[in-house]
Amino acid sequence: MTIPHTSFRDSVERMFTHAAGLMDLQPGLEEKIRVCNSTYTVRFGVRLRGQIHTFTGYRSVHSEHMEPVKGGIRYSLDVTQDEVEALAALMTYKCALVEVPFGGSKGGLCIDPRAWNEDELERITRRFTYELSRRNLISPSQNVPAPDMGTGEREMAWMADAYKRLHPDDINAKACVTGKPRHAGGIEGRVEATGRGVQYALREFFRHDDVMKKAGLTGTLAGKRVIVQGLGNVGYHAAQFLSVEDKALITCVIERDGAISNPQGINIDSLRGHIRATGGIKGFVGGDYRENGLAALEDDCDILIPAAVESVIHADNAERIKCKLIIEAANGPVTADADAILKRKGVVIIPDMYANAGGVTVSYFEWVKNLSQISLGRLERRHEEARARMLVEELERISADTGTNFELAKGFKEAFLHGADELDLVRSGLDDTMREAFKKMKEVWMSNPKVDDMRTAGYVVAIRRISNVYGSLGL
Ligand code: NAD
């Protein structure tokens, strides 16, 4: 992989500084918002395979202007302090932009999760949780981790259980992490939330002709050629929803071991099955394979969805990128240098702090559900159904009494009589969040000529909201 010229944290800080420079912030506030409050590094040993193995982990708290602070835990050998701090900063801005009441945090463990079996990973995760708990870096009221690259429901369940054992008298213990399995206090729709949010963000983008025009796009998502990098949690769900529900063509998928292309569109479920069975995309029969996956980022397409790691589009390849629109499903896939080049080329970027905010949005719903100890929709669902039934029966009675004999379409009747369950409410809340945040960003982007792209608009909205909190604190 080409070494990016700018570190991930530098990139985030440059983008932040560009936006903050357009605002009239009180002296010193820009610096206060920009800096990362603290980063805790822990090294701990776990006896595995007959010897002690030492692991290094981080939990960074970027901003506590709202608490708890929130952010995923990443398992990867590439985890560094720089990366964790950049990701924590992005969490602060993301939460502010989509109006979830959290500060920003992020964690990581330097580990290759594929190198350890399930039993070993559980012991490592439980020990990491213990170290975080000792310093209040996992707690329902102060710091709430979630899944990120290399972690998922399983790890969150282990963390929640480890926390509960350490704090048996905490009635809110379940809310110490989000992204848990449903049976362990999770919420419907969290696994796919980030990918679903990418879909909702794109749908919203395609509702605005003026914004589409900036990218040189017209029409709908149907038939648009899409390249996806990374077919993990976020990339798989985004690709699956876009291809099955919006009829977009996923013309290329890039993974660690290469790229698969098919101009007719790739069957995402089949490819996912192949990856699960073989460990990679090589040998998949539904498209043409090439070993140099990174080069495929430069293929012609309408929409490019980087959904793997940061800094994949940088000063050395940005000039050759041919898509019209990039939606940053991953955090930080475009460096600050590349961002400037792409802007000059007219490529529109839907920024990470908005594009992948679906995860933290649904995590917020899960946290609220855990604190209220009741599932979403439990109180009102049957009541809603009863009222809908009353209306339908009354209409049917009038129809019979007056001899008009009209009939409601079967599909309509079933849908109307269905009270909203947890998944319906989660989707509705997520859709609303993505639409509202988009409109806010667009308003700032379109109304201020100095705000030259959607990313800057996102930062302006976020910084304004954070500075309002500091203002109300008298800082
Ligand atoms: P994941 O571990 O489930 O999937 C990552 C995928 O990317 C894997 O399939 C992996 O093989 C692939 N990959 C890794 N390095 C690659 C490379 N160099 N080239 C091509 N493919 C590569 O992780 P995820 O949860 O889907 O996260 C992906 C990105 O989305 C990360 O940047 C993460 O911070 C961001 N994100 C995730 C969530 C979430 O809810 N999981 C929320 C917000 C943002």
Side-chain angles (χ1 to χ4, degrees):
M1 188 173 149
T2 313
I3 305 295
H5 299 170
T6 322
S7 83
F8 185 12
R9 207 190 57 191
D10 286 345
S11 264
V12 173
E13 293 198 350
R14 273 171 58 185
M15 291 163 178
F16 168 88
T17 306
H18 171 62
L22 305 175
M23 302 172 72
D24 190 20
L25 296 174
Q26 58 168 293
L29 188 54
E30 177 180 330
E31 170 80 352
K32 173 69 205 85
I33 297 175
R34 185 184 56 77
V35 296
C36 181
N37 287 2
S38 63
T39 300
Y40 165 66
T41 307
V42 60
R43 293 182 186 86
F44 59 88
V46 184
R47 181 172 284 282
L48 300 159
R49 303 177 191 177
Q51 70 169 88
I52 292 176
H53 291 264
T54 302
F55 298 92
T56 304
Y58 304 93
R59 187 75 181 160
S60 182
V61 175
H62 175 260
S63 175
E64 290 141 308
H65 70 288
M66 287 206 181
E67 285 188 299
V69 293
K70 189 93 187 72
I73 298 256
R74 180 175 284 198
Y75 280 8
S76 158
L77 284 177
D78 294 330
V79 165
T80 61
Q81 180 167 343
D82 183 283
E83 180 187 74
V84 172
E85 290 188 356
L87 290 164
L90 278 176
M91 283 306 297
T92 298
Y93 310 132
K94 190 181 304 183
C95 291
L97 176 63
V98 296
E99 292 192 279
V100 299
F102 298 136
S105 182
K106 201 80 180 193
L109 195 60
C110 297
I111 182 176
D112 177 1
R114 291 166 304 179
W116 303 96
N117 66 35
E118 186 164 8
D119 211 40
E120 292 163 341
L121 275 175
E122 178 172 354
R123 288 176 58 196
I124 297 163
T125 303
R126 286 180 181 276
R127 181 59 202 272
F128 188 30
T129 309
Y130 170 75
E131 296 295 336
L132 294 175
S133 174
R134 285 192 343 156
R135 287 154 188 91
N136 280 339
L137 290 169
I138 175 169
S139 138
S141 60
Q142 283 174 282
N143 198 322
V144 184
D148 193 74
M149 251 180 71
T151 58
E153 285 190 328
R154 182 184 64 172
E155 287 74 16
M156 298 306 112
W158 291 333
M159 293 185 92
D161 186 61
Y163 182 86
K164 178 73 189 159
R165 283 163 196 256
L166 291 166
H167 305 271
D169 55 350
D170 185 349
I171 194 169
N172 294 318
K174 273 199 183 94
C176 73
V177 290
T178 56
K180 302 175 293 288
R182 182 72 171 74
H183 63 82
I187 195 165
E188 293 292 349
R190 173 60 184 91
V191 175
E192 68 268 31
T194 310
R196 182 66 78 187
V198 171
Q199 177 197 32
Y200 287 169
L202 278 173
R203 283 183 176 176
E204 184 59 18
F205 184 92
F206 275 82
R207 286 189 191 104
H208 298 258
D209 287 340
D210 45 356
V211 179
M212 280 163 64
K213 208 169 139 198
K214 281 181 183 281
L217 287 164
T218 53
T220 64
L221 275 164
K224 294 287 180 294
R225 298 159 306 147
V226 180
I227 296 179
V228 179
Q229 184 196 31
L231 209 67
N233 177 311
V234 179
Y236 162 73
H237 287 107
Q240 176 70 1
F241 297 149
L242 288 168
S243 57
V244 173
E245 297 174 10
D246 297 297
K247 310 294 173 218
L249 293 177
I250 312 298
T251 52
C252 178
V253 170
I254 306 165
E255 257 293 333
R256 293 175 201 264
D257 62 332
I260 290 284
S261 302
N262 183 344
Q264 312 309 319
I266 295 165
N267 182 316
I268 294 301
D269 255 349
S270 304
L271 179 54
R272 166 96 143 181
H274 178 84
I275 295 173
R276 287 214 160 129
T278 66
I281 57 175
K282 196 171 178 179
F284 179 64
V285 291
D288 296 328
Y289 173 78
R290 102 187 90 146
E291 200 171 322
N292 186 354
L294 280 179
L297 287 169
E298 300 163 20
D299 285 0
D300 195 19
C301 68
D302 297 304
I303 305 169
L304 175 59
I305 310 184
V309 287
E310 57 267 17
S311 307
V312 291
I313 303 173
H314 43 77
D316 294 341
N317 65 358
E319 205 64 65
R320 296 190 299 273
I321 297 290
K322 293 181 197 67
C323 65
K324 297 177 173 135
L325 176 67
I326 295 177
I327 176 158
E328 296 181 327
N331 283 305
V334 175
T335 67
D337 294 327
D339 195 66
I341 297 168
L342 292 166
K343 199 182 307 181
R344 187 169 36 74
K345 279 165 59 85
V347 177
V348 171
I349 300 177
I350 304 181
D352 46 9
M353 72 164 89
Y354 167 71
N356 66 38
V360 76
T361 301
V362 177
S363 275
Y364 167 45
F365 302 154
E366 179 178 333
W367 180 75
V368 169
K369 171 185 171 177
N370 291 155
L371 295 184
S372 60
Q373 314 272 354
I374 188 164
S375 61
L376 271 61
R378 180 163 172 186
L379 292 180
E380 55 274 51
R381 181 175 167 194
R382 302 298 173 195
H383 178 68
E384 227 180 75
E385 285 182 3
R387 286 178 68 83
R389 187 169 298 283
M390 267 170 64
L391 181 63
V392 166
E393 285 173 359
E394 185 61 6
L395 287 173
E396 285 172 346
R397 186 191 64 74
I398 294 169
S399 159
D401 286 359
T402 56
T404 47
N405 289 330
F406 74 81
E407 256 186 56
L408 297 169
K410 193 166 178 292
F412 169 84
K413 194 167 157 180
E414 271 170 16
F416 191 66
L417 290 177
H418 166 84
D421 59 21
E422 189 166 274
L423 187 58
D424 296 321
L425 294 171
V426 163
R427 286 187 180 160
S428 148
L430 176 59
D431 195 14
D432 182 62
T433 302
M434 299 308 287
R435 288 195 200 198
E436 291 305 308
F438 188 94
K439 282 181 196 138
K440 202 75 211 164
M441 274 192 308
K442 183 184 162 189
E443 197 181 295
V444 171
W445 186 20
M446 298 291 180
S447 65
N448 186 340
K450 286 190 191 152
V451 175
D452 46 2
D453 57 14
M454 213 185 298
R455 188 191 312 280
T456 308
Y459 271 106
V460 167
V461 175
I463 295 168
R464 199 180 282 155
R465 289 197 176 130
I466 298 163
S467 65
N468 284 344
V469 175
Y470 281 122
S472 66
L473 295 175
L475 284 175

